[in-house]
Amino acid sequence: MQEEIKAEFLKSGFTLDEEEEILRKCLTFCRDYSLQPSDLVSSWEVYYLNRQLDEPVVRDAEMDGFLGHLQNEQVGAGVKNDADLHMYSFKDVDMVLDAEDEDTNNVILGTPTGKSEKLHLDIYDSARKANGNIYSSERKSKLVTPFGTRSKKFEVKFNIDNLPTIDTANGFEDHENLEDGIIKRIRPRKDCSLMVHRSGPERGCRFLYDRIEDRFNAIENRIKKHAAAFVASRLNEEPMDPSVASQRSIFSVGMICCESEGHLNDKSIFLQSSVKHSGGQRVRLELNKLSRYSFFPGQVVGIKGHNPSGHCLIASELVDYIPLSIAADTDLPPAKKQALDEEIQATDLSSTPTEITMIIAAGPFTTTDNLSFEPLSELLAYATRHSPQLVILLGPFIDSEHPQVKKGTVDLSFDDIFQSEVLRMVQDYLEYMGPTARLVMIPSVRDANHDFVFPQPAFDLNSLDVRHQITSLNNPGIFEADQVKIGCCTVDILKHLSGEEMSGYPMDGKPNDRLSRLASHILSQRSFYPLYPPAEGVPMDFSLAPEALHISSVPDILILPSELKYFVKVLSVGGTNEGEEQMKRCVCINPGRLAKGEGGGTFVVLKYQGNPDKMNASIISI
């Protein structure tokens, strides 16, 4: 089995430092935890990404940490499979607390807070009580939870600071006393204008009735659009049938497929061309002549090579991106192309740098031991102290993976919890901050109170008093905030790609950052979810997908919440078109999860001034 383990590591692009010792330990892990070599290597990839190791080298020094990772996975799987685990409801907790109140009047100490934080929380609470909107009962305030007793609060985990000397009149300022906070809240702030690019399903739409024909058309149209874009760049010839035997070099366009069970490898990688060029036939790819590559199932690429036998296309060059100048408009009718050109020209003529400040957080917004939504409350209290122009909240809000939701031990309906906890907090925050505050909400397929479909319609928030301050976005969705184009998707595409991607690079070459490479696939494929077939648990509806998943042009900011480690990275996308180098840079953000287990997670604060060279981004623990 050691040879199989070694082969799996090599297929995934990893080398072994102390081979004999590492293989011996990995063999022990497989036996102890009943793992196949492919499962072991998949777990190592997750460990490698979460630790953000610099080189794809398996070292003996990491084996102890990897063992702990495997043990945590086994424990998590055991808890998930334990059907007899009892979860207490709100009534059980209230009964215990009532008994305690009868015996003692002692005050239960909570999390120690600084003077500034306590003053801001006090006035925030006072404003809520004055309006009759109290989303946290007095009973909840007495609870002592692991989240409430955490030690590291609002600690900066990562920072990119390209704005060392700037005017902070519209930025983040942490006031040290209550009077400053009141002055700041009353002082007029720069308003944030939002424009939503509507392309997803409407609320109440009919979904999960897609047919095989819809799936076929979605795949075929993607291949045809990429082929047209490659030809329009004038760098590539007209695509040809890759399955026809030919001694001369040809150019073909198709989708990467896996012809066997398990992960993609150099023996199972096939190229499926379009019906127009090859009748939809598949041909095996030979990758030995490619010095560097990155493939995953569903990826549409251009391949230059030759097929001497008719059974295998020997690839000599890979084209996996679309030139920027033609990426946005190859599939648009003439009227829309003209409108897009005018919009781009108007944007280019604008000499004033765009500036916007925002807070970005992704769910879950409550810890696994209760449904008190303490992390969300702390986040909005933080926002009141720093007054961002925009707050972006990405689901799940009522997480279907939460223990109490899965066990059905909650006393209220999911919609009632969403209204009484989440929306109440959001409304209180916006009322307190005034009419210039803006907030964006994006659902998740893990939201128990919303449609289980992807692409996903937006929340219906029209009943709220502050609905003019809240923008409800589709999942995935694109919107503009003060002319800054922002794309969001709450499905964990980064994790899904990390489990399916295969890559190669020269033995003497330095591999690029894998997280950046995974995120770049989203932009180069012009799709929020380019993986096909979709990962297990993704309710993809191909009758809704083509327009909703399409990214017409590279956004300025791309938000991709993931279980992988948080990051803020600047991606460069593009290439050469007619001899001219064209590159577009995009800030890609994984804010992490606001709540992790019974503890706190992370969120992002961002100040953006027109381009990545003028921004300040911080990842902060809640």
Side-chain angles (χ1 to χ4, degrees):
M1 184 181 283
Q2 289 188 0
E3 290 301 322
E4 296 179 23
I5 296 173
K6 179 181 177 181
E8 289 292 337
F9 274 117
L10 294 178
K11 287 178 183 178
S12 298
F14 294 98
T15 58
L16 307 180
D17 186 19
E18 300 176 23
E19 184 174 311
E20 183 177 349
E21 183 65 17
I22 290 174
L23 290 178
R24 184 185 63 83
K25 291 183 178 180
C26 288
L27 179 60
T28 302
F29 297 161
C30 287
R31 289 174 176 172
D32 290 347
Y33 298 108
S34 302
L35 297 174
Q36 295 296 324
S38 59
D39 298 330
L40 179 78
V41 175
S42 296
S43 295
W44 167 261
E45 289 180 341
V46 175
Y47 174 79
Y48 167 83
L49 289 171
N50 286 335
R51 290 292 303 274
Q52 290 193 324
L53 302 179
D54 295 331
E55 300 178 355
V57 180
V58 183
R59 304 185 187 279
D60 184 52
E62 294 291 341
M63 287 295 101
D64 289 340
F66 181 45
L67 174 60
H69 173 76
L70 290 175
Q71 291 172 341
N72 290 336
E73 284 189 337
Q74 296 297 317
V75 171
V79 172
K80 185 177 180 180
N81 295 329
D82 187 356
D84 297 326
L85 186 65
H86 176 70
M87 302 301 297
Y88 287 95
S89 67
F90 293 137
K91 292 181 179 178
D92 297 321
V93 176
D94 287 341
M95 180 182 66
V96 174
L97 291 176
D98 287 339
E100 290 179 354
D101 289 342
E102 292 176 0
D103 296 335
T104 178
N105 291 323
N106 292 336
V107 177
I108 301 177
L109 297 178
T111 306
T113 58
K115 179 180 178 182
S116 174
E117 181 180 349
K118 184 177 186 300
L119 289 171
H120 280 89
L121 284 172
D122 287 345
I123 189 170
Y124 187 30
D125 290 339
S126 298
R128 290 198 305 270
K129 292 176 181 178
N131 294 327
N133 295 326
I134 305 174
Y135 57 74
S136 295
S137 65
E138 294 182 6
R139 179 72 67 203
K140 288 182 183 178
S141 65
K142 294 182 180 180
L143 286 174
V144 177
T145 62
F147 177 83
T149 57
R150 70 197 187 284
S151 58
K152 296 181 180 179
K153 299 178 60 176
F154 305 111
E155 178 183 64
V156 177
K157 300 288 188 179
F158 176 81
N159 178 255
I160 298 177
D161 189 359
N162 296 329
L163 299 172
T165 55
I166 54 174
D167 180 14
T168 59
N170 293 314
F172 293 110
E173 299 175 275
D174 197 359
H175 295 279
E176 295 300 327
N177 57 71
L178 180 61
E179 183 179 353
D180 287 342
I182 296 175
I183 293 175
K184 181 176 182 178
R185 184 167 63 90
I186 296 176
R187 183 181 59 200
R189 295 179 303 148
K190 181 182 177 183
D191 197 3
C192 176
S193 63
L194 298 180
M195 182 177 70
V196 178
H197 295 219
R198 295 287 183 188
S199 61
E202 299 295 331
R203 301 184 189 99
C205 66
R206 187 170 180 262
F207 58 87
L208 293 184
Y209 285 92
D210 59 336
R211 303 161 296 172
I212 295 178
E213 180 183 354
D214 295 323
R215 301 189 176 209
F216 169 80
N217 289 335
I219 296 172
E220 180 71 9
N221 289 335
R222 278 191 64 206
I223 298 175
K224 289 167 62 177
K225 288 177 181 178
H226 275 70
F230 288 145
V231 174
S233 68
R234 299 182 183 179
L235 297 176
N236 305 292
E237 59 189 32
E238 189 71 25
M240 299 182 66
D241 185 355
S243 62
V244 175
S246 174
Q247 295 296 330
R248 71 182 186 89
S249 179
I250 64 170
F251 177 71
S252 59
V253 179
M255 184 181 73
I256 299 298
C257 305
C258 182
E259 278 291 290
S260 64
E261 293 185 5
H263 298 297
L264 200 66
N265 58 63
D266 55 359
K267 301 299 182 184
S268 65
I269 182 170
F270 278 66
L271 183 73
Q272 176 181 320
S273 190
S274 67
V275 173
K276 175 183 177 182
H277 295 110
S278 70
Q281 294 199 31
R282 297 180 177 183
V283 62
R284 192 172 77 83
L285 285 180
E286 176 61 59
L287 309 177
N288 290 337
K289 291 189 177 182
L290 294 179
S291 60
R292 186 183 294 271
Y293 58 82
S294 174
F295 293 114
F296 61 88
Q299 181 183 17
V300 180
V301 296
I303 298 289
K304 292 182 181 179
H306 65 284
N307 186 351
S309 65
H311 302 292
C312 180
L313 179 63
I314 303 175
S316 58
E317 184 179 342
L318 168 66
V319 183
D320 59 355
Y321 64 88
I322 300 176
L324 296 176
S325 60
I326 48 87
D329 56 8
T330 54
D331 58 333
L332 295 179
K336 288 189 176 182
K337 285 184 181 181
Q338 182 179 358
L340 181 62
D341 291 339
E342 293 175 355
E343 179 184 341
I344 294 175
Q345 291 175 3
T347 302
D348 293 339
L349 292 174
S350 178
S351 58
T352 305
T354 303
E355 176 180 325
I356 186 170
T357 56
M358 65 183 78
I359 290 179
I360 305 167
F365 290 95
T366 188
T367 53
T368 56
D369 57 335
N370 61 61
L371 286 169
S372 300
F373 291 87
E374 293 174 277
L376 178 58
S377 176
E378 292 269 9
L379 177 75
L380 295 178
Y382 180 91
T384 63
R385 301 195 299 273
H386 294 79
S387 299
Q389 294 169 266
L390 179 65
V391 175
I392 302 177
L393 302 182
L394 305 104
F397 296 91
I398 310 300
D399 189 8
S400 59
E401 296 296 319
H402 191 283
Q404 294 185 21
V405 174
K406 290 181 71 174
K407 298 293 182 180
T409 57
V410 293
D411 298 329
L412 302 174
S413 70
F414 300 143
D415 282 330
D416 288 341
I417 297 175
F418 184 63
Q419 293 283 341
S420 62
E421 296 289 349
V422 177
L423 294 185
R424 179 74 64 85
M425 290 188 192
V426 167
Q427 180 163 315
D428 291 343
Y429 162 74
L430 293 173
E431 289 178 349
Y432 174 75
M433 296 303 293
T436 60
R438 292 291 181 270
L439 187 141
V440 174
M441 296 183 71
I442 303 100
S444 165
V445 294
R446 284 169 51 181
D447 272 308
N449 63 311
H450 201 46
D451 296 333
F452 183 65
V453 63
F454 184 74
Q456 193 174 26
F459 287 123
D460 184 1
L461 305 179
N462 292 327
S463 61
L464 296 180
D465 296 335
V466 290
R467 56 185 176 272
H468 61 284
Q469 294 177 255
I470 300 181
T471 299
S472 183
L473 205 65
N474 294 332
N475 173 35
I478 298 177
F479 67 100
E480 290 186 23
D482 287 349
Q483 299 183 357
V484 176
K485 191 173 184 180
I486 303 173
C488 309
C489 180
T490 58
V491 170
D492 197 346
I493 180 59
L494 294 178
K495 184 178 180 181
H496 297 167
L497 284 178
S498 71
E500 298 294 340
E501 184 210 34
M502 66 170 291
S503 61
Y505 57 91
M507 295 301 295
D508 56 346
K510 184 177 181 181
N512 55 2
D513 175 28
R514 193 178 188 204
L515 287 174
S516 296
R517 188 173 71 241
L518 294 174
S520 296
H521 283 313
I522 311 300
L523 300 175
S524 62
Q525 291 291 295
R526 299 294 189 266
S527 173
F528 281 107
Y529 201 91
L531 185 65
Y532 182 85
E536 183 180 358
V538 177
M540 180 74 77
D541 188 322
F542 285 89
S543 65
L544 306 173
E547 291 186 2
L549 298 184
H550 182 61
I551 303 176
S552 60
S553 60
V554 178
D556 299 299
I557 300 172
L558 181 63
I559 305 174
L560 301 173
S562 174
E563 298 292 341
L564 302 181
K565 190 171 183 179
Y566 51 75
F567 64 79
V568 176
K569 296 181 181 293
V570 179
L571 308 178
S572 295
V573 184
T576 304
N577 183 32
E578 297 184 353
E580 297 183 2
E581 189 73 16
Q582 296 183 335
M583 301 295 291
K584 173 66 184 289
R585 290 192 298 167
C586 170
V587 180
C588 186
I589 298 174
N590 170 20
R593 303 297 184 184
L594 191 68
K596 287 188 175 182
E598 295 184 356
T602 55
F603 64 97
V604 169
V605 294
L606 176 68
K607 181 164 187 176
Y608 186 87
Q609 288 188 335
N611 64 74
D613 292 332
K614 295 181 179 180
M615 75 167 184
N616 185 307
S618 299
I619 300 176
I620 302 175
S621 61
I622 187 64

